Amino acid sequence: MTPELLELFEFLRFPSVSTDSSHAGDVRACAAWLVTKLSSMGLQTELHETARHPIVVARNEHRANRKTVLIYGHYDVQPVDPLALWHSAPFEPEIREGKIWCRGATDNKGQMFAHVLGVEKTLREHGDLPVNLIFLFEGEEEIGSPNLTPFLQAHREELRCDVIAVSDTGMVAAGVPTMGYGLRGIACAEVILRGPKGDLHSGIYGGAVANPATAMARLVASLHDDAGNIQVEGFYDDVRPLQDWEREMWKNIPGVSDADYLAVTGSPAVFGEDGYSSAERVWARPTAEVNGIGGGYQGEGSKTVLPAQAFAKFSFRLVPDQEPKDILEKVRLHFEKHCPAGVSIEIEIGHDGKPYHADPHSDFGKAAQRALTSAFGREPVLIREGGSIPIIQAFREILGADTLLLGLALPDCQIHAPNENFPVANFEAGILLNQHLLRELAKG
Ligand code: BES
Ligand code: ZN
């Protein structure tokens, strides 16, 4: 195994699950490991405490006549459950079939470490970087970056930069370099419907009082019409229509046909808004999703119970120019209006993040495309992403800089799921990409 892979494995072994407070010590240990690594590269490195998980910032010596590039990544990861479905221990990285199997291998440690090693190689080969560099690594991306926005506000002068680069998104297919110029936003909410004061015998009381699980099914169903259009009043008001040039461009992108979506998801059919391709539905249209739903008996066999309550967790993916706070208010009104009779409703508003959209043909955008072409030996495709990285729009609003999304994840890397994996080839291409990127961004 190469020294680069051995080092990545050290980074991957930390179970830095940000959402789970029992892993807070592991998140911290992972941050401390990063500080040691970045310091050893001769970068001036600081660990900043926050209300929860630390932020790590590292920089070279900045000079007045160079471009300043901020590279962002996150060292926290998603939980591993369901554990039983993993083919190897989630935090014991292994290489099989040319892929690194580990939670965080792709999202985001492998991609983030490719940035670090690209910088390290450039420093080794040239003794210096062609740009002023700021590394900004957080441990809270997977929980909505609650402490990073205040950190940006408090440190906006030290973090001022000309452009930002992030590898935390996808490639449309293996070997197809992909530059993202958009991300969907997100808005989360949870609903609890309550009926009787406790679970009831469904024979003795069923028919006399409302069933909260039935009520929840009706409430969930009220979000869409039969064609899949979202029924929340005013939901589409601020949706920016797709541009003709994007639709034309996306027609020729490999890896995103309906057949591709069927193959990678295993679903029996594609489904979505009329008049749009699958890629358009994911990259440029908003959605309303149920992420979890429950209430009543979940065990084996049947149990004749009328549950006391039911819950559902929702997230809405948003596109320019939808505002998460505005959407959450509209959603709240919708839930209140459509709450079935006989139950009481509690709506808990969760975290949110704005959508992002940039011009892929800016000077920095073109520089990034040249770097992608050099690293992968072919011209990149330009896409928007269905996923969200809430801090990216905050970077623009607070630091005034746009972000280049240089994704290295493949559609089957299984991020957030059991058996997350990252091809060794993508890791190596990522290191090379970062070497080219620094050089190209220096030209502007
Ligand atoms: N790396 C992902 C986002 C991503 C993945 C964007 C693939 C585009 C393509 C990131 O770590 C993530 O999972 N983000 C969350 C954000 C949420 C927790 C606020 C998401 O999109 O669900
Ligand atoms: Zn993630």
Side-chain angles (χ1 to χ4, degrees), residues 74 78 107 141-142 416:
H74 63 95
Q78 286 274 328
D107 186 10
E141 195 274 343
E142 300 292 6
H416 293 207

Side-chain angles (χ1 to χ4, degrees), residues 74 107 141-142 144 168-169 317 351 385 387-390 415-416:
H74 63 95
D107 186 10
E141 195 274 343
E142 300 292 6
D168 191 24
T169 52
R317 294 283 169 173
H351 64 77
E385 286 282 2
S388 308
I389 311 175
I415 67 173
H416 293 207

